[in-house]
Short mmCIF file of all heavy atoms in Angstrom, two decimals:
data_model
loop_
_atom_site.label_atom_id
_atom_site.label_comp_id
_atom_site.label_asym_id
_atom_site.label_seq_id
_atom_site.Cartn_x
_atom_site.Cartn_y
_atom_site.Cartn_z
N MET A 867 43.34 62.70 26.31
CA MET A 867 43.73 63.82 25.45
C MET A 867 45.00 64.46 25.99
O MET A 867 45.08 64.83 27.15
CB MET A 867 42.59 64.84 25.43
CG MET A 867 42.69 65.83 24.28
SD MET A 867 41.27 66.94 24.32
CE MET A 867 42.12 68.52 24.44
N THR A 868 46.01 64.56 25.15
CA THR A 868 47.25 65.19 25.61
C THR A 868 47.16 66.70 25.46
O THR A 868 46.56 67.20 24.51
CB THR A 868 48.47 64.67 24.81
OG1 THR A 868 48.17 64.76 23.42
CG2 THR A 868 48.78 63.23 25.15
N ALA A 869 47.74 67.37 26.44
CA ALA A 869 47.73 68.84 26.40
C ALA A 869 48.59 69.31 25.24
O ALA A 869 49.72 68.88 25.09
CB ALA A 869 48.27 69.39 27.71
N LYS A 870 48.04 70.16 24.41
CA LYS A 870 48.88 70.67 23.34
C LYS A 870 49.71 71.84 23.86
O LYS A 870 49.25 72.59 24.71
CB LYS A 870 48.04 71.06 22.12
CG LYS A 870 47.22 72.32 22.24
CD LYS A 870 46.65 72.60 20.85
CE LYS A 870 45.60 73.67 20.79
NZ LYS A 870 45.81 74.96 21.26
N PRO A 871 50.95 71.92 23.38
CA PRO A 871 51.82 72.97 23.89
C PRO A 871 51.27 74.35 23.57
O PRO A 871 50.80 74.59 22.46
CB PRO A 871 53.15 72.73 23.19
CG PRO A 871 52.84 71.87 22.01
CD PRO A 871 51.61 71.10 22.35
N ALA A 872 51.30 75.22 24.55
CA ALA A 872 50.82 76.58 24.35
C ALA A 872 51.89 77.44 23.70
O ALA A 872 51.59 78.43 23.04
CB ALA A 872 50.40 77.18 25.68
N ALA A 873 53.14 77.03 23.89
CA ALA A 873 54.25 77.80 23.35
C ALA A 873 55.47 76.89 23.30
O ALA A 873 55.46 75.80 23.86
CB ALA A 873 54.53 79.01 24.22
N VAL A 874 56.50 77.35 22.62
CA VAL A 874 57.75 76.60 22.54
C VAL A 874 58.88 77.51 23.01
O VAL A 874 58.93 78.68 22.65
CB VAL A 874 58.00 76.12 21.08
CG1 VAL A 874 59.36 75.46 20.95
CG2 VAL A 874 56.91 75.17 20.64
N CYS A 875 59.75 76.95 23.83
CA CYS A 875 60.88 77.73 24.35
C CYS A 875 61.80 78.14 23.20
O CYS A 875 62.20 77.29 22.40
CB CYS A 875 61.64 76.92 25.37
SG CYS A 875 63.13 77.74 25.96
N ALA A 876 62.14 79.41 23.13
CA ALA A 876 62.99 79.91 22.05
C ALA A 876 64.43 79.42 22.17
O ALA A 876 65.15 79.39 21.18
CB ALA A 876 62.96 81.43 22.04
N ALA A 877 64.84 79.05 23.37
CA ALA A 877 66.23 78.64 23.57
C ALA A 877 66.42 77.15 23.39
O ALA A 877 67.31 76.72 22.68
CB ALA A 877 66.70 79.07 24.96
N CYS A 878 65.60 76.33 24.04
CA CYS A 878 65.82 74.88 24.01
C CYS A 878 64.73 74.13 23.27
O CYS A 878 64.76 72.90 23.22
CB CYS A 878 65.99 74.35 25.43
SG CYS A 878 64.48 74.35 26.39
N ASN A 879 63.76 74.85 22.71
CA ASN A 879 62.67 74.24 21.94
C ASN A 879 61.78 73.29 22.73
O ASN A 879 61.10 72.45 22.15
CB ASN A 879 63.21 73.53 20.69
CG ASN A 879 63.78 74.50 19.68
OD1 ASN A 879 63.21 75.57 19.46
ND2 ASN A 879 64.90 74.17 19.10
N ALA A 880 61.80 73.41 24.05
CA ALA A 880 60.91 72.58 24.86
C ALA A 880 59.47 73.05 24.65
O ALA A 880 59.22 74.25 24.50
CB ALA A 880 61.30 72.70 26.33
N ASN A 881 58.56 72.10 24.64
CA ASN A 881 57.14 72.47 24.58
C ASN A 881 56.70 72.99 25.93
O ASN A 881 56.97 72.36 26.95
CB ASN A 881 56.29 71.26 24.19
CG ASN A 881 56.49 70.87 22.73
OD1 ASN A 881 56.72 71.73 21.89
ND2 ASN A 881 56.40 69.59 22.45
N LEU A 882 56.06 74.12 25.93
CA LEU A 882 55.57 74.71 27.17
C LEU A 882 54.06 74.56 27.20
O LEU A 882 53.36 75.27 26.49
CB LEU A 882 55.97 76.20 27.24
CG LEU A 882 57.47 76.48 27.06
CD1 LEU A 882 57.73 77.97 26.99
CD2 LEU A 882 58.26 75.88 28.20
N PRO A 883 53.56 73.60 27.96
CA PRO A 883 52.12 73.36 27.97
C PRO A 883 51.38 74.46 28.72
O PRO A 883 51.95 75.17 29.56
CB PRO A 883 51.98 72.02 28.69
CG PRO A 883 53.20 71.91 29.53
CD PRO A 883 54.29 72.68 28.82
N GLU A 884 50.11 74.57 28.39
CA GLU A 884 49.25 75.52 29.08
C GLU A 884 49.26 75.24 30.58
O GLU A 884 49.29 74.09 30.99
CB GLU A 884 47.83 75.34 28.56
CG GLU A 884 47.12 76.64 28.24
CD GLU A 884 45.82 76.37 27.51
OE1 GLU A 884 45.88 75.97 26.32
OE2 GLU A 884 44.76 76.55 28.12
N GLY A 885 49.26 76.26 31.38
CA GLY A 885 49.17 76.06 32.81
C GLY A 885 50.48 76.18 33.55
O GLY A 885 50.48 76.40 34.75
N ARG A 886 51.60 76.01 32.83
CA ARG A 886 52.87 76.19 33.51
C ARG A 886 53.35 77.63 33.34
O ARG A 886 52.87 78.35 32.46
CB ARG A 886 53.94 75.20 33.03
CG ARG A 886 54.36 75.35 31.59
CD ARG A 886 55.78 74.88 31.37
NE ARG A 886 56.75 75.85 31.87
CZ ARG A 886 58.04 75.60 32.05
NH1 ARG A 886 58.52 74.41 31.80
NH2 ARG A 886 58.87 76.54 32.48
N SER A 887 54.26 78.04 34.19
CA SER A 887 54.74 79.41 34.06
C SER A 887 55.94 79.43 33.12
O SER A 887 56.66 78.46 32.98
CB SER A 887 55.10 79.99 35.42
OG SER A 887 56.16 79.25 35.98
N ALA A 888 56.11 80.54 32.44
CA ALA A 888 57.20 80.68 31.49
C ALA A 888 57.53 82.17 31.42
O ALA A 888 56.82 83.00 31.96
CB ALA A 888 56.78 80.16 30.12
N ILE A 889 58.63 82.44 30.74
CA ILE A 889 59.01 83.84 30.52
C ILE A 889 58.55 84.24 29.12
O ILE A 889 58.77 83.50 28.17
CB ILE A 889 60.55 84.00 30.60
CG1 ILE A 889 61.08 83.58 31.98
CG2 ILE A 889 60.97 85.43 30.26
CD1 ILE A 889 60.74 84.52 33.09
N TYR A 890 57.89 85.36 29.01
CA TYR A 890 57.48 85.87 27.71
C TYR A 890 58.21 87.18 27.43
O TYR A 890 58.19 88.09 28.25
CB TYR A 890 55.97 86.10 27.69
CG TYR A 890 55.47 86.67 26.38
CD1 TYR A 890 55.63 85.94 25.20
CD2 TYR A 890 54.85 87.91 26.32
CE1 TYR A 890 55.19 86.45 23.99
CE2 TYR A 890 54.39 88.42 25.11
CZ TYR A 890 54.56 87.69 23.95
OH TYR A 890 54.13 88.20 22.76
N ASP A 891 58.87 87.22 26.29
CA ASP A 891 59.54 88.45 25.87
C ASP A 891 58.58 89.22 24.98
O ASP A 891 58.29 88.81 23.86
CB ASP A 891 60.82 88.09 25.11
CG ASP A 891 61.63 89.33 24.78
OD1 ASP A 891 61.06 90.27 24.18
OD2 ASP A 891 62.82 89.37 25.10
N SER A 892 58.07 90.32 25.50
CA SER A 892 57.00 91.01 24.77
C SER A 892 57.53 91.86 23.61
O SER A 892 56.76 92.27 22.76
CB SER A 892 56.17 91.86 25.72
OG SER A 892 57.00 92.77 26.40
N LEU A 893 58.82 92.11 23.56
CA LEU A 893 59.37 92.83 22.41
C LEU A 893 59.51 91.89 21.22
O LEU A 893 59.09 92.19 20.12
CB LEU A 893 60.73 93.43 22.75
CG LEU A 893 60.74 94.61 23.72
CD1 LEU A 893 62.17 95.13 23.87
CD2 LEU A 893 59.83 95.73 23.25
N PHE A 894 60.12 90.74 21.46
CA PHE A 894 60.37 89.81 20.36
C PHE A 894 59.30 88.74 20.25
O PHE A 894 59.31 87.94 19.34
CB PHE A 894 61.76 89.18 20.51
CG PHE A 894 62.84 89.98 19.85
CD1 PHE A 894 63.05 91.30 20.21
CD2 PHE A 894 63.61 89.43 18.85
CE1 PHE A 894 64.03 92.06 19.58
CE2 PHE A 894 64.60 90.18 18.22
CZ PHE A 894 64.81 91.49 18.58
N GLU A 895 58.37 88.75 21.20
CA GLU A 895 57.27 87.80 21.19
C GLU A 895 57.76 86.35 21.15
O GLU A 895 57.34 85.56 20.31
CB GLU A 895 56.30 88.11 20.04
CG GLU A 895 55.73 89.51 20.20
CD GLU A 895 54.76 89.89 19.08
OE1 GLU A 895 54.97 89.45 17.94
OE2 GLU A 895 53.80 90.62 19.36
N VAL A 896 58.67 86.06 22.05
CA VAL A 896 59.14 84.68 22.19
C VAL A 896 58.94 84.23 23.64
O VAL A 896 58.89 85.06 24.56
CB VAL A 896 60.63 84.52 21.79
CG1 VAL A 896 60.82 84.82 20.31
CG2 VAL A 896 61.53 85.40 22.65
N TYR A 897 58.83 82.93 23.80
CA TYR A 897 58.67 82.34 25.12
C TYR A 897 59.94 81.59 25.50
O TYR A 897 60.66 81.10 24.64
CB TYR A 897 57.50 81.35 25.13
CG TYR A 897 56.15 82.01 25.00
CD1 TYR A 897 55.62 82.28 23.74
CD2 TYR A 897 55.43 82.36 26.14
CE1 TYR A 897 54.37 82.89 23.62
CE2 TYR A 897 54.18 82.96 26.02
CZ TYR A 897 53.66 83.22 24.76
OH TYR A 897 52.44 83.82 24.63
N ALA A 898 60.19 81.50 26.80
CA ALA A 898 61.29 80.69 27.31
C ALA A 898 60.84 79.98 28.58
O ALA A 898 59.92 80.44 29.26
CB ALA A 898 62.51 81.58 27.61
N CYS A 899 61.49 78.83 28.86
CA CYS A 899 61.14 78.04 30.05
C CYS A 899 61.25 78.87 31.32
O CYS A 899 60.47 78.72 32.24
CB CYS A 899 62.11 76.88 30.22
SG CYS A 899 62.21 75.79 28.84
N GLY A 900 62.28 79.67 31.37
CA GLY A 900 62.53 80.45 32.58
C GLY A 900 63.63 81.45 32.28
O GLY A 900 64.07 81.56 31.13
N SER A 901 64.09 82.12 33.32
CA SER A 901 65.05 83.18 33.06
C SER A 901 66.37 82.64 32.51
O SER A 901 67.04 83.33 31.75
CB SER A 901 65.29 84.03 34.30
OG SER A 901 65.58 83.21 35.39
N SER A 902 66.75 81.41 32.86
CA SER A 902 68.01 80.91 32.32
C SER A 902 67.90 80.66 30.82
O SER A 902 68.83 80.97 30.07
CB SER A 902 68.47 79.66 33.07
OG SER A 902 67.56 78.61 32.88
N CYS A 903 66.78 80.12 30.38
CA CYS A 903 66.60 79.93 28.94
C CYS A 903 66.47 81.28 28.24
O CYS A 903 66.98 81.46 27.14
CB CYS A 903 65.36 79.07 28.65
SG CYS A 903 65.74 77.31 28.57
N TRP A 904 65.80 82.21 28.86
CA TRP A 904 65.69 83.53 28.24
C TRP A 904 67.07 84.16 28.08
O TRP A 904 67.38 84.72 27.03
CB TRP A 904 64.76 84.45 29.04
CG TRP A 904 64.58 85.75 28.31
CD1 TRP A 904 63.68 86.01 27.32
CD2 TRP A 904 65.38 86.93 28.44
NE1 TRP A 904 63.88 87.28 26.83
CE2 TRP A 904 64.91 87.87 27.50
CE3 TRP A 904 66.46 87.27 29.26
CZ2 TRP A 904 65.47 89.14 27.36
CZ3 TRP A 904 67.03 88.54 29.11
CH2 TRP A 904 66.52 89.46 28.18
N SER A 905 67.90 84.03 29.13
CA SER A 905 69.26 84.60 29.06
C SER A 905 70.04 83.97 27.92
O SER A 905 70.79 84.65 27.21
CB SER A 905 70.01 84.36 30.37
OG SER A 905 69.36 85.01 31.42
N GLU A 906 69.87 82.67 27.75
CA GLU A 906 70.54 81.96 26.67
C GLU A 906 70.07 82.50 25.31
O GLU A 906 70.86 82.78 24.42
CB GLU A 906 70.18 80.48 26.78
CG GLU A 906 71.19 79.54 26.21
CD GLU A 906 70.76 78.10 26.49
OE1 GLU A 906 70.74 77.71 27.67
OE2 GLU A 906 70.40 77.42 25.53
N TRP A 907 68.76 82.66 25.19
CA TRP A 907 68.20 83.19 23.95
C TRP A 907 68.69 84.61 23.71
O TRP A 907 69.11 84.97 22.61
CB TRP A 907 66.67 83.16 24.02
CG TRP A 907 66.05 83.78 22.82
CD1 TRP A 907 65.77 83.17 21.63
CD2 TRP A 907 65.66 85.15 22.66
NE1 TRP A 907 65.24 84.09 20.75
CE2 TRP A 907 65.17 85.30 21.35
CE3 TRP A 907 65.70 86.27 23.51
CZ2 TRP A 907 64.71 86.53 20.86
CZ3 TRP A 907 65.26 87.49 23.03
CH2 TRP A 907 64.76 87.61 21.72
N TYR A 908 68.69 85.40 24.76
CA TYR A 908 69.12 86.79 24.62
C TYR A 908 70.58 86.88 24.21
O TYR A 908 70.95 87.71 23.37
CB TYR A 908 68.88 87.55 25.93
CG TYR A 908 69.29 88.99 25.84
CD1 TYR A 908 68.49 89.92 25.18
CD2 TYR A 908 70.51 89.42 26.38
CE1 TYR A 908 68.88 91.24 25.06
CE2 TYR A 908 70.90 90.75 26.27
CZ TYR A 908 70.10 91.65 25.61
OH TYR A 908 70.49 92.95 25.49
N ALA A 909 71.42 86.02 24.80
CA ALA A 909 72.85 86.03 24.47
C ALA A 909 73.04 85.80 22.97
O ALA A 909 73.92 86.41 22.35
CB ALA A 909 73.58 84.96 25.26
N GLU A 910 72.21 84.95 22.38
CA GLU A 910 72.33 84.67 20.95
C GLU A 910 71.68 85.75 20.09
O GLU A 910 71.94 85.84 18.90
CB GLU A 910 71.67 83.32 20.63
CG GLU A 910 72.46 82.14 21.13
CD GLU A 910 71.68 80.84 21.05
OE1 GLU A 910 70.61 80.83 20.40
OE2 GLU A 910 72.12 79.86 21.65
N ASN A 911 70.82 86.53 20.68
CA ASN A 911 70.05 87.50 19.88
C ASN A 911 70.29 88.94 20.28
O ASN A 911 69.55 89.83 19.86
CB ASN A 911 68.56 87.16 19.98
CG ASN A 911 68.25 85.86 19.28
OD1 ASN A 911 68.04 85.83 18.08
ND2 ASN A 911 68.23 84.78 20.02
N GLU A 912 71.31 89.14 21.07
CA GLU A 912 71.57 90.48 21.59
C GLU A 912 71.79 91.49 20.48
O GLU A 912 71.30 92.62 20.53
CB GLU A 912 72.80 90.43 22.51
CG GLU A 912 73.00 91.71 23.28
CD GLU A 912 74.23 91.63 24.18
OE1 GLU A 912 74.91 90.59 24.21
OE2 GLU A 912 74.49 92.65 24.85
N ALA A 913 72.53 91.08 19.43
CA ALA A 913 72.81 92.00 18.33
C ALA A 913 71.52 92.45 17.66
O ALA A 913 71.33 93.64 17.38
CB ALA A 913 73.74 91.34 17.32
N GLY A 914 70.63 91.50 17.41
CA GLY A 914 69.34 91.85 16.79
C GLY A 914 68.50 92.72 17.70
O GLY A 914 67.81 93.63 17.24
N TYR A 915 68.57 92.44 18.97
CA TYR A 915 67.84 93.22 19.96
C TYR A 915 68.29 94.68 19.92
O TYR A 915 67.49 95.60 19.85
CB TYR A 915 68.15 92.64 21.34
CG TYR A 915 66.99 92.64 22.31
CD1 TYR A 915 66.25 91.49 22.51
CD2 TYR A 915 66.67 93.78 23.05
CE1 TYR A 915 65.21 91.46 23.41
CE2 TYR A 915 65.63 93.76 23.95
CZ TYR A 915 64.90 92.60 24.14
OH TYR A 915 63.88 92.58 25.03
N LYS A 916 69.61 94.84 19.92
CA LYS A 916 70.16 96.20 19.89
C LYS A 916 69.80 96.91 18.60
O LYS A 916 69.46 98.09 18.59
CB LYS A 916 71.68 96.16 20.07
CG LYS A 916 72.10 95.92 21.49
CD LYS A 916 73.61 95.90 21.59
CE LYS A 916 74.05 95.66 23.03
NZ LYS A 916 75.43 95.15 23.07
N ARG A 917 69.91 96.17 17.50
CA ARG A 917 69.61 96.76 16.20
C ARG A 917 68.17 97.25 16.16
O ARG A 917 67.87 98.30 15.61
CB ARG A 917 69.83 95.68 15.12
CG ARG A 917 70.19 96.27 13.79
CD ARG A 917 70.83 95.26 12.83
NE ARG A 917 70.26 93.94 12.89
CZ ARG A 917 70.96 92.84 13.21
NH1 ARG A 917 72.23 92.92 13.49
NH2 ARG A 917 70.39 91.66 13.24
N ARG A 918 67.30 96.50 16.79
CA ARG A 918 65.90 96.83 16.72
C ARG A 918 65.50 97.92 17.70
O ARG A 918 64.59 98.70 17.42
CB ARG A 918 65.09 95.57 16.98
CG ARG A 918 63.61 95.75 16.81
CD ARG A 918 62.94 94.41 16.53
NE ARG A 918 61.50 94.54 16.66
CZ ARG A 918 60.65 93.52 16.58
NH1 ARG A 918 61.13 92.30 16.38
NH2 ARG A 918 59.37 93.70 16.71
N TRP A 919 66.15 97.95 18.86
CA TRP A 919 65.64 98.80 19.93
C TRP A 919 66.58 99.91 20.38
O TRP A 919 66.21 100.73 21.21
CB TRP A 919 65.25 97.93 21.14
CG TRP A 919 64.17 96.99 20.75
CD1 TRP A 919 64.29 95.64 20.54
CD2 TRP A 919 62.80 97.31 20.48
NE1 TRP A 919 63.08 95.12 20.15
CE2 TRP A 919 62.17 96.11 20.11
CE3 TRP A 919 62.07 98.50 20.50
CZ2 TRP A 919 60.81 96.06 19.76
CZ3 TRP A 919 60.73 98.46 20.17
CH2 TRP A 919 60.11 97.25 19.80
N THR A 920 67.79 99.93 19.90
CA THR A 920 68.68 101.01 20.31
C THR A 920 69.39 101.58 19.09
O THR A 920 69.57 100.90 18.07
CB THR A 920 69.76 100.53 21.32
OG1 THR A 920 70.66 99.65 20.66
CG2 THR A 920 69.14 99.82 22.51
N GLU A 921 69.81 102.81 19.18
CA GLU A 921 70.59 103.43 18.10
C GLU A 921 71.48 104.52 18.69
O GLU A 921 71.18 105.03 19.78
CB GLU A 921 69.66 104.02 17.04
CG GLU A 921 68.72 105.08 17.59
CD GLU A 921 67.78 105.66 16.53
OE1 GLU A 921 68.23 105.80 15.39
OE2 GLU A 921 66.64 105.97 16.87
N ALA A 922 72.51 104.87 17.97
CA ALA A 922 73.38 105.96 18.40
C ALA A 922 72.72 107.27 18.00
O ALA A 922 72.22 107.40 16.88
CB ALA A 922 74.74 105.81 17.75
N VAL A 923 72.70 108.22 18.90
CA VAL A 923 72.09 109.51 18.58
C VAL A 923 73.01 110.65 18.97
O VAL A 923 73.87 110.51 19.83
CB VAL A 923 70.73 109.70 19.33
CG1 VAL A 923 69.69 108.73 18.81
CG2 VAL A 923 70.91 109.56 20.83
N ASP A 924 72.84 111.79 18.33
CA ASP A 924 73.53 113.01 18.73
C ASP A 924 72.60 113.77 19.66
O ASP A 924 71.43 113.97 19.35
CB ASP A 924 73.83 113.89 17.50
CG ASP A 924 74.84 113.20 16.59
OD1 ASP A 924 75.78 112.55 17.12
OD2 ASP A 924 74.68 113.30 15.36
N LEU A 925 73.14 114.19 20.79
CA LEU A 925 72.30 114.91 21.77
C LEU A 925 72.38 116.42 21.56
O LEU A 925 73.37 116.92 21.06
CB LEU A 925 72.76 114.56 23.19
CG LEU A 925 72.63 113.07 23.52
CD1 LEU A 925 73.17 112.80 24.91
CD2 LEU A 925 71.18 112.62 23.45
ZN1 ZN B 2311 64.00 76.31 27.53
#
Protein backbone atom coordinates (compact mmCIF):
# COMPACT_ATOMS: atom_id res chain seq x y z
CA MET A 1 0.00 0.00 0.00
CA THR A 2 1.46 3.34 -1.01
CA ALA A 3 1.26 6.20 1.43
CA LYS A 4 -1.22 8.73 0.21
CA PRO A 5 0.00 12.31 0.32
CA ALA A 6 -1.20 14.19 3.36
CA ALA A 7 -0.69 17.53 1.66
CA VAL A 8 0.73 19.12 -1.47
CA CYS A 9 3.41 21.79 -1.48
CA ALA A 10 1.93 25.12 -2.59
CA ALA A 11 5.16 26.16 -4.31
CA CYS A 12 6.43 23.09 -6.16
CA ASN A 13 3.37 20.80 -5.98
CA ALA A 14 5.39 17.99 -4.40
CA ASN A 15 3.33 15.42 -2.55
CA LEU A 16 4.01 15.64 1.16
CA PRO A 17 3.36 12.22 2.68
CA GLU A 18 2.20 11.70 6.22
CA GLY A 19 5.05 11.52 8.68
CA ARG A 20 7.42 14.00 7.11
CA SER A 21 7.82 17.52 8.38
CA ALA A 22 6.56 20.46 6.37
CA ILE A 23 5.72 24.11 6.77
CA TYR A 24 2.06 24.95 7.31
CA ASP A 25 0.81 28.47 6.73
CA SER A 26 -2.11 28.79 9.10
CA LEU A 27 -3.41 32.03 7.60
CA PHE A 28 -3.69 30.79 4.04
CA GLU A 29 -3.94 27.13 4.97
CA VAL A 30 -1.27 25.97 2.57
CA TYR A 31 1.59 23.55 3.02
CA ALA A 32 5.16 23.81 1.78
CA CYS A 33 8.11 21.39 1.75
CA GLY A 34 10.15 23.72 3.89
CA SER A 35 10.97 27.34 4.45
CA SER A 36 12.51 27.77 1.00
CA CYS A 37 9.34 26.59 -0.71
CA TRP A 38 7.24 28.69 1.62
CA SER A 39 9.36 31.76 0.77
CA GLU A 40 8.82 31.03 -2.91
CA TRP A 41 5.08 30.73 -2.38
CA TYR A 42 5.01 33.88 -0.28
CA ALA A 43 6.95 35.85 -2.89
CA GLU A 44 4.23 35.00 -5.41
CA ASN A 45 1.38 35.68 -3.01
CA GLU A 46 2.64 38.64 -1.04
CA ALA A 47 0.14 41.03 -2.62
CA GLY A 48 -2.79 38.80 -1.65
CA TYR A 49 -1.35 38.35 1.80
CA LYS A 50 -1.15 42.08 2.33
CA ARG A 51 -4.60 42.64 0.91
CA ARG A 52 -6.03 40.13 3.29
CA TRP A 53 -4.12 40.93 6.44
CA THR A 54 -2.97 44.53 6.35
CA GLU A 55 -4.55 47.88 5.55
CA ALA A 56 -3.68 51.55 5.74
CA VAL A 57 -5.23 53.24 8.75
CA ASP A 58 -5.44 56.73 10.20
CA LEU A 59 -4.14 56.86 13.76
ZN1 LIG B 1 7.98 22.40 -2.31
